[in-house]
Amino acid sequence: MSTGGTHRRVVDGRFELEERLGGGGMGLVWRAHDLVLHRAVAVKEVRHADPDLAEHDPAAARVLRERVLREARALARVHHPNVVTIHHLVDGGEHTYPCIVMELVEGGSLPARLERGA
């Protein structure tokens, strides 16, 4: 990852992270701008809850990375109006965690939506 001119992080030289949308046990999700195609996207920065996992337990980090890559590739083959489209997969190789670049869906969080009713 590098830093853009406005001190925003740029993933894979292409996706400028603009705003954190949420996070959980599998990482963070960011609103980002695709600098090549000039469109808004979501970037899921996959991270284990323990950020030192790759350093202290490389076998577990490898399993997590492989699982995420496998799931992202499977999801990229799904075409359905109720499933987000995967645009790009950033994989820095062994001892890294991948980023999944996908369609940005506006509308708030799932918990907020469920509070409004079915």
Side-chain angles (χ1 to χ4, degrees):
M1 289 191 211
S2 63
T3 304
T6 60
H7 302 290
R8 290 184 177 167
R9 286 178 35 208
V10 176
V11 174
D12 204 30
R14 176 176 174 175
F15 304 101
E16 183 178 33
L17 304 183
E18 297 178 334
E19 172 189 8
R20 183 177 161 183
L21 297 176
M26 288 293 292
L28 303 173
V29 178
W30 300 85
R31 171 188 300 275
H33 180 73
D34 182 336
L35 298 170
V36 174
L37 297 177
H38 304 285
R39 64 179 172 183
V41 295
V43 174
K44 182 173 186 175
E45 185 179 25
V46 177
R47 294 240 180 251
H48 191 275
D50 175 2
D52 294 327
L53 179 68
E55 180 181 340
H56 299 296
D57 191 350
R62 184 175 47 256
V63 167
L64 174 62
R65 177 180 162 269
E66 290 170 359
R67 188 182 94 202
V68 169
L69 293 175
R70 187 174 50 251
E71 289 177 6
R73 289 177 179 130
L75 183 58
R77 294 189 298 268
V78 175
H79 300 283
H80 190 277
N82 296 334
V83 177
V84 297
T85 300
I86 302 294
H87 295 308
H88 188 67
L89 181 59
V90 179
D91 179 19
E94 193 172 348
H95 306 297
T96 68
Y97 293 106
C99 289
I100 302 169
V101 181
M102 61 192 94
E103 168 187 10
L104 177 65
V105 178
E106 302 285 353
S109 69
L110 178 59
R113 174 63 185 96
L114 292 175
E115 284 180 13
R116 294 193 309 260

